[in-house]
Structures are given as C-alpha cells and as structure tokens.
Amino acid sequence: MNQIKVFSPATVSNVACGFDVLGFPIDSIGDEMIVRKTKKKSLVISNVTGYSVPLDIDKNVSTIAAKKMIEQLKPDCGFDFNIKKNIIPGSGIGSSGSSASASVYAINKLLGSPLSEIEMVSYAMKGEVASSITEHADNVAPALMGGLVMVKSISPLEILKLPTPKDLYCFVINPKIEVKTSYSREILPKEVKLKSATKQVSTFGSFVHSLHTEDYELLGRSLNDYLIEKHRKKLIPLFDEIKGIALNNGALGCSISGSGPSVFALTKGIEKANEINLLVSDLYKTSGYDFSTYVSKISENGVRTLSI
Amino acid sequence: MNQIKVFSPATVSNVACGFDVLGFPIDSIGDEMIVRKTKKKSLVISNVTGYSVPLDIDKNVSTIAAKKMIEQLKPDCGFDFNIKKNIIPGSGIGSSGSSASASVYAINKLLGSPLSEIEMVSYAMKGEVASSITEHADNVAPALMGGLVMVKSISPLEILKLPTPKDLYCFVINPKIEVKTSYSREILPKEVKLKSATKQVSTFGSFVHSLHTEDYELLGRSLNDYLIEKHRKKLIPLFDEIKGIALNNGALGCSISGSGPSVFALTKGIEKANEINLLVSDLYKTSGYDFSTYVSKISENGVRTLSI
C-alpha cells in the first residue's frame, strides 16, 4: 500500500457535563486526506483545498503529529499530504483534531498498523497541542475510536469507550466566526466553586450511568454544565436563543461544542434533531451571521479509509 | 403493628472520588432502635444506650427527622424511641445518618408505609442538617436504600442506585477521636482549581463506568480524590501510613470515610480486607489511640426490621 485516502470526522467535545473529558464524532462532516508514501524521507504538504491551513509542516497539525510519529517509528520513507480541509478552523467541532487524527491513522495504515488505538491517540494529541496549547484528547480520541469516548486521564493516557444509546442524535450549528481555542481557554477561571465542582461530578456520573442503562430521560437531566458554559457562551452569537429553541423542542440537552462557537443539541431520534435544525436555521438566517448546521447519529465510526 | 425494632447501618460516604455524591452501607455496625406508637401525640426518647446522644427531641437527629415527618403525615399517635447508639458520633461513618434513617424507616413502617424510598431519604436528611449544617444525602440514601448509591442532586432530590460488584469488600478503621462534621467542612476551601475539578469529574465518571462493567482494576484506578483528602487528612492520625499499608497490600483504593476520622479501603474479595485489617490494627495498637475496625461486604441491604 503506497497511498490511502481517509475521512476523519468532526467531533463534539465537552458535551455539557464532560469538560475536557468527553467527546463523540459527527458523521456528516470531516476532513479528507490523501497520504502517499514518498522515497524521500521527509514530510510534504503538496496540496490543501477547502479552508486554509498552513503548508509549513511545522505549523500544520497533521504534519506536527506525523513528525512525532516518524521520529519514533523511523520508517524507510517520507509522506506527502493532500488535504481537503472541510472543517473550518476554530469552529469548536474538532477541526485540528480531525486533521491530526487523519494523518496519524493514514500513516499507521501505510506502515502496516504498528500502533494501537491508544498510541494513535497519543500521537494525534501532539498535533492538538499546537492549536490549543494545552494537551487534550477529547477530540482526537473520539475521532480515532468512534462513539462516545471518555478521557479518563492524560498522563498516563487512559481512554474509555462508553456505550452509545442507539437512538441518540445530534444537531450542531456552526456560526462562521472563528473562536481561537487558546482564547476560549483563557477566558475560563483558573478556580471554580467547590459546590459547582461537586455538581459537575454528580452530573457526569449520572450521565455515564444513563448511557449504561439507556435511560434517555436521565441522560437529558445530566446534560448540564456548571463550570464552563456561562463563561464561553458570551463568545457565541444568540447562544441563549439557540438553547431555548432546542430545549423547548424536545432536545435532551444543549450546550457549547468544544470551545465554541459551535453549539450542539442531543435528541432521542432524528426527527427532533431535524426539527431543531429547521428552527435554529430560521433564527440564524435573520441574524446576519453565516453558518452551517449538521444533523448526525452519534456514530460508532471514527476515522475511516475511503480508498487505497 | 405498634412497635418495631430496626437496624440501621453505618455508611461510608464520599468514597474518594465521590465527595458529597456517593455512599454505601457497612454491614457489620449500625444503630438499633425500638420505636413504639404512643397514644399521646408527642415524641419521646425514653432510653439511650451505647454512645451518648441528646434526649431532647429537638436536638436528637432521630426525632428532628421524625418531627418533620409527623408535621406532614399527621398520624393519630405519637412515638417513643429507645435508641441503642452503636456508632460513635463524629466518626465519619454516618452516625447521625444511621439514627435519622432508623427513625424515618421505623415510623414509616408503623404507619403502614405511606412514604416512598425517596421521600424517606428527604425526611432523614432533615435530621442530618442538624449535625452537619449543610443538607446532604450521601449517608442517609445508602443507609435507607442499600448498595452503592449516588446523590445526583439535592434540589430536586434525585438518587441513583449504582450496580455493586459482587466481590467488593470494605475495610474501615475508626480512630476514636471525634471530628465534628461541621469543622471538617469548614477546613475545606470554597474554591478549587478547574483542573482538579476536571480530574474529579473524569475519575468519578470512570468509577461509575467500572461498576457497570465490573472492572475491578478500573475501579481501583478511579478511587482517587483531587479535592478533599489533602485537606481533611490532617485531622486523621496516621492517615498516610494507613493508606500506604492498604495500597501496598492489594487495596483497590483507600481514602477518608465521610468527613473523617474514619478511613476506608476497598478490596476485591474479603481476604485482602482481612489482611489489611490485621496490619492496620497492628499499626494502631502501637499508636496509643483507641480504635475500632470493621470488615464488610458492600451490602445491598439498608435499614432493616429486626423484629415487630
């Protein structure tokens, strides 16, 4: 195998109760990447289409992650990257995580799959650091593993795959304004009330319990955030209005995706997600902001091979 | 039925990762109580044996909880309480929670069980407030319901019963010094680092996941606390030594029970709990402190009727 074309999904992370801990892939949008072995032992980004990202291999998250991999794996070849960047950077749906996961997955396949899933996650994280300063895995882990994924710890890296209720669907609106992950992190307080921390702990615990018991109502009552949303929602146009529409139309919960500005809602069944999509799109059409929306199952599929 | 004798177990709460959220009953120690209907519509504590607790019905947690119940239920009788107080107050193993749960359970039975489990918990909590100032349910909920119990929220009161792995055993040492719950709460910081809060969230999430998957190793890796232990352990003689012995002898985890000074360790199987019991008891025998220890299954049984 000398060439591979892969699709790497966008991801919703944090998911209300799981700041820095939880994420899942969206099925309907992701970056595509063709990675080709080259004789010359170097990395080259030969082409980028779609949204603009750096061609410099030391600035592009795909190649930053790839560089760490080849430093370790020392393959007898180099790699050429042709990137179709479908996810707008700084959108809050794991744009850099998608690209980093794509390149790690592709190179691993091209080298005969020497890495385990967890090793792939650890390399993809190296790309993430470049865009968000802090090391985190709540985008790359679900992008690589699929399904609802929990980051138990970063050091040592430990990832848990949680059960995904079958009828769980997701609506996402991506307002086309850029919010830098690093800035969105800066506006967070360094300290939080012990009481709020305790609420977040119990809420996340009941969320995990609801997944195992497939209790959609409990899941809905667990999609709350007591730490982050109030700070970050200020960066998002019409956040309260979107959330109001979602909750008034049967969403199990609604909060910020990643570090924003994207907003997601979870629903039981696709119909409610579609309905919320129509209503929120109507609201946004009159707002003057450009935007995209997505409706997706909480997919069990992470990065995948499109063709060899 | 005019009289009932009940046993109400001691409880371990917080359980490392679940500050103010998690608890379970210990099978081998608890308060006993004989409650008798009286013609006169009043509450009387006619007798207390064992550890000393107030006879004044407005100061004893059993009758404080009972008073709230009868204000609401308006029964055509009063109640006489004969309390065998086996759990030392201020021990950190739910002494007041045990008594409050016993009286609520007994009165409910004597009145033909008008209350649901969750209603019983809410009345028993009223007794708890008297001893700890803050309203909390992580002792009374497991005392009344049995098993590993999670307090999802206090207002509205929502309690989840978590699955209890079959081989889960508990060792508890109760150093016989009193630590007032209210003081033990005072020494906690009002604010915690966002990073620590996030760690606690993921750790509790993985704990809940480990219960559902009956993964003892993961359970062990989830019995950590990032918020409370470091502050409260200062009140507990030889805490670090106890924890060292427990972890070096196969405990899944070891932390403070409730607000201390009791310390618990969880093990897979009773043998390790017994071994830790021997070693920690040896350590304490040479320390000069009086103490008791208990080894118990994580029991599915809460308060129960001993005789009618």
Side-chain angles (χ1 to χ4, degrees):
Chain A
M1 194 195 302
N2 282 315
Q3 179 174 306
I4 188 170
K5 183 178 180 184
V6 302
F7 170 86
S8 180
T11 45
V12 168
S13 64
N14 295 340
V15 199
C17 52
F19 172 66
D20 267 2
V21 164
L22 192 67
F24 61 81
I26 310 175
D27 226 16
S28 42
I29 176 171
D31 290 345
E32 283 170 40
M33 199 177 283
I34 298 166
V35 183
R36 195 167 51 82
K37 277 188 190 170
T38 57
K39 278 191 183 143
K40 208 180 158 198
K41 288 187 187 178
S42 61
L43 300 176
V44 179
I45 300 171
S46 61
N47 192 32
V48 171
T49 56
Y51 293 105
S52 164
V53 286
L55 287 164
D56 181 340
I57 63 153
D58 291 318
K59 289 187 178 150
N60 188 302
V61 292
S62 311
T63 39
I64 290 170
K67 213 174 168 184
K68 295 277 179 192
M69 270 182 89
I70 63 173
E71 271 169 27
Q72 210 69 32
L73 297 175
K74 299 182 178 45
D76 204 23
C77 62
F79 298 95
D80 173 284
F81 297 80
N82 183 335
I83 301 169
K84 192 172 169 207
K85 188 72 202 159
N86 292 321
I87 314 171
I88 187 170
S91 54
I93 49 172
S95 177
S96 59
S98 170
S99 291
S101 300
S103 72
V104 167
Y105 174 91
I107 293 175
N108 190 50
K109 280 275 181 198
L110 288 173
L111 296 178
S113 302
L115 300 182
S116 67
E117 219 167 35
I118 192 91
E119 286 170 329
M120 284 200 281
V121 172
S122 75
Y123 282 114
M125 280 171 68
K126 304 296 178 194
E128 280 287 75
V129 182
S131 71
S132 69
I133 299 165
T134 351
E135 231 182 5
H136 67 113
D138 51 342
N139 291 115
V140 294
L144 280 160
M145 298 166 71
L148 269 160
V149 167
M150 179 191 152
V151 182
K152 182 185 179 295
S153 85
I154 287 292
S155 177
L157 185 61
E158 193 173 355
I159 310 283
L160 304 176
K161 199 152 176 190
L162 302 175
T164 308
K166 293 287 162 285
D167 291 336
L168 205 54
Y169 282 80
C170 175
F171 157 76
V172 176
I173 177 163
N174 171 17
K176 296 278 172 80
I177 56 164
E178 184 173 357
V179 173
K180 288 248 182 237
T181 305
S182 51
Y183 174 65
S184 186
R185 199 164 271 274
E186 254 172 47
I187 63 167
L188 297 181
K190 295 268 174 298
E191 300 216 314
V192 296
K193 289 209 170 79
L194 175 59
K195 229 177 171 171
S196 309
T198 304
K199 269 189 174 180
Q200 192 89 346
V201 166
S202 67
T203 304
F204 187 65
S206 71
F207 177 79
V208 173
H209 184 66
S210 77
L211 298 179
H212 280 280
T213 53
E214 238 176 291
D215 181 340
Y216 289 90
E217 277 186 64
L218 180 63
L219 195 154
R221 291 198 302 281
S222 308
L223 284 170
N224 294 309
D225 165 73
Y226 301 95
L227 304 178
I228 306 300
E229 186 180 292
K230 61 184 168 196
H231 301 286
R232 284 186 170 166
K233 74 175 190 175
K234 296 168 198 159
L235 305 175
I236 301 168
L238 303 172
F239 175 80
D240 287 333
E241 288 81 354
I242 298 168
K243 187 164 177 167
I245 288 173
L247 296 182
N248 288 331
N249 288 278
L252 298 165
C254 175
S255 190
I256 302 165
S257 174
S259 50
S262 286
V263 176
F264 78 95
L266 291 184
T267 60
K268 184 180 179 185
I270 197 170
E271 294 77 12
K272 285 204 177 80
N274 282 331
E275 204 178 313
I276 292 164
N277 188 7
L278 282 176
L279 293 166
V280 172
S281 295
D282 270 354
L283 170 79
Y284 247 67
K285 269 174 202 152
T286 59
S287 75
Y289 291 102
D290 194 11
F291 69 99
S292 293
T293 64
Y294 310 99
V295 167
S296 164
K297 203 170 182 349
I298 308 303
S299 169
E300 290 291 347
N301 301 316
V303 188
R304 47 204 175 268
T305 305
L306 293 180
S307 61
I308 299 172
Chain B
M1 195 196 301
N2 283 314
Q3 179 174 305
I4 187 170
K5 183 177 179 184
V6 303
F7 170 86
S8 181
T11 45
V12 169
S13 63
N14 295 341
V15 198
C17 52
F19 172 66
D20 266 4
V21 164
L22 193 67
F24 62 81
I26 309 175
D27 226 15
S28 43
I29 176 173
D31 290 345
E32 283 170 40
M33 199 177 283
I34 298 166
V35 183
R36 195 168 50 82
K37 277 188 190 170
T38 57
K39 278 190 183 143
K40 206 178 160 200
K41 290 187 186 177
S42 60
L43 300 176
V44 179
I45 300 171
S46 61
N47 192 32
V48 171
T49 56
Y51 293 106
S52 163
V53 286
L55 287 163
D56 181 341
I57 63 154
D58 293 317
K59 289 186 179 151
N60 188 301
V61 291
S62 311
T63 39
I64 291 171
K67 212 172 168 185
K68 295 279 179 189
M69 270 182 89
I70 61 173
E71 271 168 27
Q72 209 69 33
L73 297 174
K74 299 183 179 45
D76 205 24
C77 62
F79 298 94
D80 173 284
F81 296 80
N82 184 334
I83 302 168
K84 191 171 170 209
K85 188 73 201 158
N86 293 320
I87 314 170
I88 186 169
S91 54
I93 49 171
S95 177
S96 59
S98 170
S99 291
S101 300
S103 73
V104 167
Y105 174 91
I107 293 177
N108 189 50
K109 281 276 183 197
L110 288 172
L111 296 179
S113 302
L115 301 182
S116 67
E117 220 167 36
I118 192 91
E119 286 169 329
M120 284 201 281
V121 172
S122 75
Y123 283 114
M125 281 171 68
K126 304 296 178 193
E128 280 286 74
V129 182
S131 72
S132 69
I133 300 166
T134 351
E135 229 181 8
H136 68 113
D138 50 343
N139 291 115
V140 293
L144 281 159
M145 297 165 73
L148 268 161
V149 167
M150 178 192 152
V151 182
K152 183 185 179 296
S153 85
I154 288 293
S155 178
L157 184 61
E158 192 173 356
I159 310 283
L160 304 176
K161 198 152 176 192
L162 301 176
T164 308
K166 294 286 161 285
D167 291 336
L168 206 54
Y169 282 80
C170 175
F171 156 77
V172 177
I173 177 162
N174 172 19
K176 297 279 172 79
I177 56 164
E178 185 173 358
V179 173
K180 288 247 182 236
T181 305
S182 52
Y183 174 64
S184 187
R185 199 164 271 274
E186 254 171 48
I187 63 166
L188 296 181
K190 295 267 174 297
E191 300 215 315
V192 296
K193 288 210 171 77
L194 175 58
K195 229 175 169 171
S196 309
T198 303
K199 270 189 173 179
Q200 192 89 346
V201 165
S202 66
T203 305
F204 187 65
S206 71
F207 177 79
V208 174
H209 184 68
S210 77
L211 298 178
H212 280 281
T213 53
E214 236 174 294
D215 181 339
Y216 289 89
E217 277 186 64
L218 180 63
L219 196 154
R221 290 198 303 282
S222 308
L223 285 170
N224 293 309
D225 165 73
Y226 303 95
L227 305 177
I228 305 300
E229 187 179 291
K230 61 183 166 195
H231 301 287
R232 284 185 169 167
K233 74 175 189 177
K234 297 168 198 160
L235 305 175
I236 302 169
L238 302 172
F239 175 80
D240 287 333
E241 288 81 354
I242 299 169
K243 187 165 178 167
I245 288 173
L247 296 182
N248 288 330
N249 288 278
L252 297 165
C254 175
S255 189
I256 302 164
S257 174
S259 50
S262 286
V263 176
F264 78 95
L266 291 184
T267 60
K268 184 180 180 186
I270 195 168
E271 294 77 11
K272 285 203 176 80
N274 283 332
E275 205 179 313
I276 292 165
N277 188 7
L278 283 176
L279 295 166
V280 172
S281 296
D282 270 352
L283 170 79
Y284 247 68
K285 269 174 202 154
T286 59
S287 74
Y289 291 103
D290 194 11
F291 69 98
S292 293
T293 62
Y294 311 98
V295 167
S296 163
K297 203 170 180 351
I298 307 304
S299 169
E300 290 292 347
N301 302 316
V303 188
R304 46 202 175 271
T305 305
L306 293 179
S307 61
I308 299 171

